[in-house]
Amino acid sequence: MKIGIIVESLQRPLEEGIPRARELGAEGIQIYAVSRHLDMLNDPPSKLKAVKELADRSGLVFSAICSDLGGHGFSDPAGNPERLEKTRRIMENARIFNTNVLTTHIGVVPSDTGSARYADIVETLRTTGRDALNNGMVLAIETGPETPAALRQLLLDVDSKGIGVNLDPANLAMVQNCDAAEAVRLLGPYIVHTHAKDGVHLRDCDPARVYNAFAEGGFAQLVAETGELFREVELGKGQVKWGPYLAALRECGFDGFLTIEREVGADPDGDISNAVRFLRAELDRQR
């Protein structure tokens, strides 16, 4: 397994963050397709190529591109045609970065697998899965709103090699109070990328309410509505059991990226540097 860093987690412009990721010990990076530093929907190819060339000079590969467009993901039928088109354009431009993985949140999937909304999400994912395959890619669903068992059922229903999983163990811990190693055992064949993040579950919560609040107004709105339900913490200081989790990834044959994501904290450089050291020590322990 290899260690990556989400460049935006360093809270620097890309031209500073990319070489800094290498200095901190990363082998790969993930960037957002649409951010205040880059817009893969509108920026000219020359700008995208300049970012790729900077990564090349820094000795880094792209573990994935985050194609998340915010809002309710693919759970909003009215918005899906536009979202599908934008995702397709991101896939086409992502080929510049020589990666075959795009990650995204798809929104809250209805628990009623017989509902019209569930059927719409399944068909939408089949469509974007075909687009992914046409571009030599996999669109990886980030874990969070659903239990691993529910997400596995969705993947079985979609039945597309263009749709996979970006496993974020902290999301599962914080929202679902779920064991990451057990999630790997259920989702292993679909995992193409992971986020290395940690957190703690403080109170039981309604995952649908959590992610809908995020979609409408972000973390501030969620806390205003519910109080503190969970907390993201430094890698190794939360409830993710990294030894069993990494062992489970090895057992299922995963040999991709553990891409560090740090969404909070006043010292991103320090936290991410510590995270790299923590992951290296954990990986060395298992050799």
Side-chain angles (χ1 to χ4, degrees), residues 32-209:
Y32 278 78
V34 178
S35 70
R36 62 192 181 96
H37 301 298
L38 192 73
D39 184 351
M40 290 174 60
L41 292 171
N42 296 296
D43 285 341
S46 58
K47 182 173 180 178
L48 306 185
K49 290 175 182 176
V51 173
K52 171 64 164 60
E53 289 165 2
L54 176 57
D56 290 344
R57 292 196 302 272
S58 301
L60 295 164
V61 299
F62 286 84
S63 67
I65 301 293
C66 179
S67 63
D68 203 304
L69 296 170
H72 293 276
F74 291 120
S75 65
D76 175 16
N80 279 343
E82 179 183 6
R83 189 173 291 266
L84 280 170
E85 175 57 27
K86 287 182 176 179
T87 301
R88 185 181 303 115
R89 286 163 55 197
I90 290 171
M91 288 174 183
E92 292 169 353
N93 285 328
R95 291 183 296 189
I96 290 173
F97 299 97
N98 197 30
T99 181
N100 64 349
V101 178
L102 265 66
T103 69
T104 193
H105 287 279
I106 62 169
V108 178
V109 178
S111 57
D112 181 1
T113 58
S115 68
R117 285 191 63 226
Y118 184 86
D120 182 83
I121 290 178
V122 168
E123 189 54 41
T124 298
L125 288 173
R126 284 176 182 161
T127 298
T128 199
R130 287 193 293 271
D131 291 338
L133 289 174
N134 288 338
N135 284 283
M137 295 188 179
V138 176
L139 182 69
I141 300 169
E142 183 161 342
T143 52
E146 290 74 44
T147 64
L151 180 54
R152 183 174 184 274
Q153 184 59 55
L154 175 67
L155 292 162
L156 288 169
D157 291 338
V158 172
D159 190 25
S160 170
K161 293 187 182 300
I163 302 296
V165 169
N166 174 49
L167 201 142
D168 187 316
N171 288 351
L172 291 172
M174 292 188 294
V175 177
Q176 299 284 352
N177 199 22
C178 174
D179 179 72
E182 182 57 33
V184 172
R185 295 185 186 102
L186 285 169
L187 297 170
Y190 301 99
I191 300 171
V192 295
H193 190 261
T194 76
H195 280 164
K197 191 169 71 178
D198 213 337
V200 293
H201 176 90
L202 301 176
R203 290 189 288 127
D204 288 345
C205 56
D206 176 0
R209 186 177 182 188

